[in-house]
Amino acid sequence: MFIKPFKIKSNILVTGSEKKRLRQRVLAQFNRSDSDTALAELFGNRTKVCTVKIVTHHEEPVTLFTSDKRPIFFELNGKLLPTVYTLWACPDLVPAFTTHPTVLPKLANGADLMIPGVVKQGTNLASWGRHERDDVVAVNLTSNRAAVGVGLLAHSSSDLYMCGGHGVCVRVMHVFGDKLWGMEPSVCQQVPILGTVVAVPKDSDFPPLVAESTKKMEEPVKELSQALDNANINSEATDSDSDSAEQPDEGEEETVPVEEDKPPTTDELIRGALLNALKLHGKKITLPLLTSTFYPQYVQPEIPEGVEMKKSSYKKVGTFFKQMAEEGLLEIREEKKGIEKVTSLNLEHPAVLSFYPYKASAKGASELDAAAAAVGGGSASNPLLLTKMTEMYAVNERTSKLFGCFNVASGKALEPTQIRNYMRDYVGRNKLIDPNTKLVTLDETLKDVCGAACGDLVALQELTETVMNSMTSTFEMKSQKGPVMKSGKRAVVHLTTATRSGNKKVTLISNLADYGINVGEFAKAVKLGAAASTTMTEVPGTKGEQLMVQGNHIKFVFELLTTTYQVPKACITGLEFAKEQKKKKKK
């Protein structure tokens, strides 16, 4: 319903009495009590609740209700439907139907939830619940309890049971990532991770077609083979009594307790940041350099987020450098009282030589952090750029020990590229690649993640896929970055001028969407910066919208694209149409 853009007709702040009536209406429709704190926060005394009248792309009038600019309910045929923001605050507000993660991109493109895609606990009538047709329901995923869609039930529970597994189950009205979710970019939020709904097979989204009788036959065979292996081990151990007196047998080796890897301390993290900086940038650092400049420029960017010097045993940067100088990692010289300089770096130190860098480059890390700050971690997406639904994998309890080596907290969502880089770093750092077979030898941490399904030697690509399947699958709306490649070449933004009625000049801008630029937000920036009216039009035979600006503003648009949006100058044409500035006459 909100897949395509809608027009806002009015936005009016409601009075205190109207807010109270709206709250009572919500409590009555969804059978909630006045003591519900989650709903009370949506209609708090200091919150600004507004009534927004909109017209959808199909010319349907809809009334929205926002709380501090964030949409919370919308009215459809006299019935209130909550948005995903409201369901994230009140997960039990409406009943939910669960589907597989691979179905979400289909729902985001405007599809309804079909009966074959619903995951139920059981096959009887009770598994469909006790619902009537047109009841308000939510849609969530097997990997995450948080709602990703809201809709109306297409059939009653009894009719769904009698449909024979065919037909529409939920008519989806609102889904995560649509225009209603991104109505106000400054308050957009990613899907929170509230835990899994039901355990499903990780190898595929749907259970394998294997008869239960076959599984029952395989279990006794496995138990018998395991018993025979244990018997062979015991017999070999009894035959070699003399050897067992000198060295323990295999059974005793397995019973030796293994110390668990403890998380690194704050001191170790800061020291590791210095080693990482020396490993990556040691040969490029120009010395001598003030310690007050060396630390923020080279060491601090390598420190994980949340780690502070004052929480370590060093307490101060000067104490830290003195300790590192005592270890022989570097040399410092005191110029004046309280002013110290780093004079030399010991890149041949054993600690530096044995250290494996965990970042490819500081620049790449800063870009990654900037991208995460723009759209990740529940923060709002970049309003200047278009957003795209991206499949992510969140660190769960099973994989927390593996990614804890890279200071990635549990619940953090990662892209597949990030996971591949982390796995490549982990394998290289621990020297797990067999030089003969080029396969990865699993250590205890990887065995805990992969389970008994994998052997001792696994290909890196297969290992990465297994780790991804062990993580919690989720989705995020990420800002598009970089241009679209057309026929192997980068897309070009065309700037030109034209003459309209009355001999008026206008500026025409094309292909903005190829660089992921939000045309609506770009039009607002041009309207404010150039003090000119803007219009978006569709050109026949081309994809995307063309922006028309009253007057010749080629130079302003060119500077806006190259500075704010970082579009390369070589990918913009039409600068020759810029208005020539008049030369001032000398008095």
Side-chain angles (χ1 to χ4, degrees), residues 494-505:
H494 296 288
L495 307 180
T496 185
T497 57
T499 304
R500 293 293 184 261
S501 60
N503 198 24
K504 293 181 179 180
K505 290 284 186 179

Side-chain angles (χ1 to χ4, degrees), residues 122-143:
T123 57
N124 53 2
L125 178 60
S127 63
W128 291 101
R130 297 180 180 180
H131 310 299
E132 299 295 331
R133 184 179 178 180
D134 292 335
D135 280 357
V136 181
V137 294
V139 179
N140 58 17
L141 306 178
T142 56
S143 58

Side-chain angles (χ1 to χ4, degrees), residues 18-277:
E18 292 174 339
K19 186 195 300 185
K20 186 177 181 181
R21 284 196 295 269
L22 177 61
R23 180 185 176 186
Q24 294 298 329
R25 182 183 175 187
V26 172
L27 295 176
Q29 178 176 330
F30 297 102
N31 296 323
R32 312 291 286 193
S33 61
D34 292 336
S35 60
D36 196 325
T37 57
L39 285 177
E41 293 179 358
L42 298 178
F43 302 99
N45 295 329
R46 296 186 178 181
T47 57
K48 295 181 180 180
V49 179
C50 297
T51 303
V52 183
K53 302 285 187 180
I54 67 170
V55 177
T56 64
H57 181 76
H58 298 289
E59 302 297 331
E60 297 179 9
V62 179
T63 302
L64 304 178
F65 299 97
T66 62
S67 175
D68 290 336
K69 298 183 180 181
R70 182 171 290 169
I72 53 175
F73 290 97
F74 62 96
E75 188 174 1
L76 192 64
N77 297 329
K79 184 179 295 186
L80 290 176
L81 279 77
T83 63
V84 289
Y85 295 114
T86 304
L87 293 179
W88 294 341
C90 310
D92 301 325
L93 188 63
V94 296
F97 282 74
T98 305
T99 186
H100 301 279
T102 52
V103 179
L104 179 56
K106 306 296 182 183
L107 301 180
N109 289 333
D112 293 328
L113 179 61
M114 310 301 287
I115 294 179
V118 178
V119 178
K120 314 185 303 300
Q121 296 288 350
T123 57
N124 53 2
L125 178 60
S127 63
W128 291 101
R130 297 180 180 180
H131 310 299
E132 299 295 331
R133 184 179 178 180
D134 292 335
D135 280 357
V136 181
V137 294
V139 179
N140 58 17
L141 306 178
T142 56
S143 58
N144 192 1
R145 183 168 170 258
V148 295
V150 181
L152 300 175
L153 209 58
H155 307 281
S156 62
S157 298
S158 57
D159 291 340
L160 290 173
Y161 176 71
M162 298 299 294
C163 279
H166 301 283
V168 179
C169 178
V170 179
R171 291 183 283 114
V172 179
M173 300 297 171
H174 163 51
V175 67
F176 165 71
D178 61 6
K179 301 303 179 183
L180 180 59
W181 170 86
M183 177 180 175
E184 181 57 43
S186 61
V187 295
C188 286
Q189 181 184 350
Q190 303 294 348
V191 181
I193 298 177
L194 303 180
T196 57
V197 179
V198 60
V200 295
K202 293 294 183 179
D203 295 337
S204 61
D205 289 324
F206 298 94
L209 300 176
V210 180
E212 295 183 359
S213 58
T214 307
K215 295 181 180 180
K216 293 181 180 179
M217 292 175 62
E218 291 178 353
E219 292 178 358
V221 173
K222 291 182 179 179
E223 294 178 358
L224 179 60
S225 61
Q226 187 176 2
L228 291 174
D229 293 340
N230 294 335
N232 292 334
I233 292 173
N234 294 333
S235 63
E236 292 176 0
T238 53
D239 292 340
S240 57
D241 292 337
S242 59
D243 295 337
S244 63
E246 298 178 359
Q247 58 184 11
D249 59 2
E250 296 180 0
E252 291 178 354
E253 288 182 358
E254 295 178 355
T255 58
V256 175
V258 179
E259 295 182 1
E260 296 183 356
D261 294 338
K262 296 181 180 180
T265 61
T266 306
D267 293 0
E268 294 174 349
L269 292 175
I270 298 176
R271 184 177 180 272
L274 174 63
L275 295 174
N276 197 56

